[in-house]
Amino acid sequence: MKLTYYGHSCVLIETNGKRLVIDPFLTGNPSAPVAAGDIRVDYVLLTHGHNDHVGDAFEIAKRCDAVVIAPFELATYAGWQGCKSHPMHIGGSHRFDFGTVKLTLAFHGSGYQPAGEQHFVYMGMPAGLLVTAEGRTIYHAGDTALFGDMKVIGERHAIDLAFLPIGDNYTMGPDDALTAAEWLRAKRVVPIHYNTFPLIAQDGKAFAERLKAAGIEGLPLAPGESVEL
Ligand code: NI
Ligand code: MN
């Protein structure tokens, strides 16, 4: 399994001959190392409806004939935009041809702002994602606060690598993300959702050092960097 960080919350997963992209916010993302038009995938996974996560999802899914996997309201909306979609919801898991996806809790919002319109299309509950393939389990927390049930997620799933937001302001900051990593019992943690904009500036390397002191491997991937599991 190969995981590539594309900045903000965007991650490319290559496994079992399939390519998946999570939260492909590339257009308008100053940290994105690739253009949306360069993305070729079989699946687009979305955690919630905020525009810095939906991003280029609909364009990518339509161009690649890829399936959008997302919480029910968001997946249904993707279908209305002309995408293939597979709606799921929190607590549900489904086996796809690349592996299994399970949606988890996330404490956040999920309003989508259609381009040029001053209103939200509310996309229900935001989610986190557990992706299991090739005997590995990846957790992408989406945007979330720290919450106690992360302990339950960690008890019930052996997490090989967790993508956790550390940007603060809109999500967990580094202090809460460190506690999240411990509660999740994650073997490795990649910090996400930081340094995209000045408001969410954080030191990824310092966060990785704090993880190391807690016995957890921290991988502060630069946008464009990959890790093999
Ligand atoms: Ni958000
Ligand atoms: Mn966000």
Side-chain angles (χ1 to χ4, degrees):
M1 179 185 293
K2 184 179 179 185
L3 308 168
T4 305
Y5 181 49
Y6 279 158
H8 206 55
S9 292
C10 183
V11 175
L12 180 76
I13 301 178
E14 296 169 84
T15 185
N16 288 323
K18 301 292 179 186
R19 295 164 60 87
L20 295 57
V21 70
I22 300 174
D23 288 356
F25 168 52
L26 301 164
T27 303
N29 173 1
S31 71
V34 293
D38 296 330
I39 299 286
R40 290 174 295 103
V41 289
D42 303 287
Y43 295 91
V44 178
L45 281 61
L46 299 176
T47 59
H48 64 292
H50 285 162
N51 293 55
D52 61 317
H53 296 257
V54 174
D56 302 290
F58 304 147
E59 181 275 315
I60 291 169
K62 282 187 273 191
R63 176 172 46 77
C64 298
D65 201 29
V67 179
V68 176
I69 301 170
F72 176 81
E73 294 83 355
L74 181 50
T76 302
Y77 187 86
W80 294 338
Q81 306 308 309
C83 305
K84 286 184 185 171
S85 67
H86 183 109
M88 297 182 66
H89 234 309
I90 293 164
S93 62
H94 183 79
R95 185 186 294 244
F96 294 89
D97 57 1
F98 59 85
T100 300
V101 175
K102 183 174 186 179
L103 266 55
T104 72
L105 287 178
F107 282 85
H108 192 63
S110 193
Y112 178 70
Q113 296 168 264
E117 297 180 25
Q118 290 190 355
H119 71 92
F120 287 108
V121 179
Y122 222 76
M123 298 294 187
M125 289 275 285
L129 302 167
L130 286 162
V131 178
T132 301
E134 298 181 65
R136 304 278 193 235
T137 295
I138 308 303
Y139 174 59
H140 187 297
D143 282 357
T144 187
L146 178 68
F147 56 92
D149 281 353
M150 284 181 175
K151 291 178 186 172
V152 177
I153 296 171
E155 279 171 13
R156 295 177 57 80
H157 302 277
I159 297 170
D160 293 286
L161 188 148
F163 291 98
L164 300 180
I166 67 161
D168 218 340
N169 193 76
Y170 300 110
T171 66
M172 295 188 286
D175 292 352
D176 282 353
L178 183 63
T179 299
E182 292 171 337
W183 285 355
L184 290 161
R185 305 179 190 181
K187 293 191 187 77
R188 303 168 190 82
V189 172
V190 176
I192 60 171
H193 211 271
Y194 73 107
N195 287 355
T196 321
F197 309 108
L199 184 56
I200 54 172
Q202 297 292 343
D203 186 337
K205 290 199 173 78
F207 178 65
E209 286 301 316
R210 294 177 69 190
L211 285 167
K212 191 177 174 186
I216 299 165
E217 186 181 354
L219 299 167
L221 299 180
E225 282 190 332
S226 299
V227 59
E228 296 261 6
L229 284 188

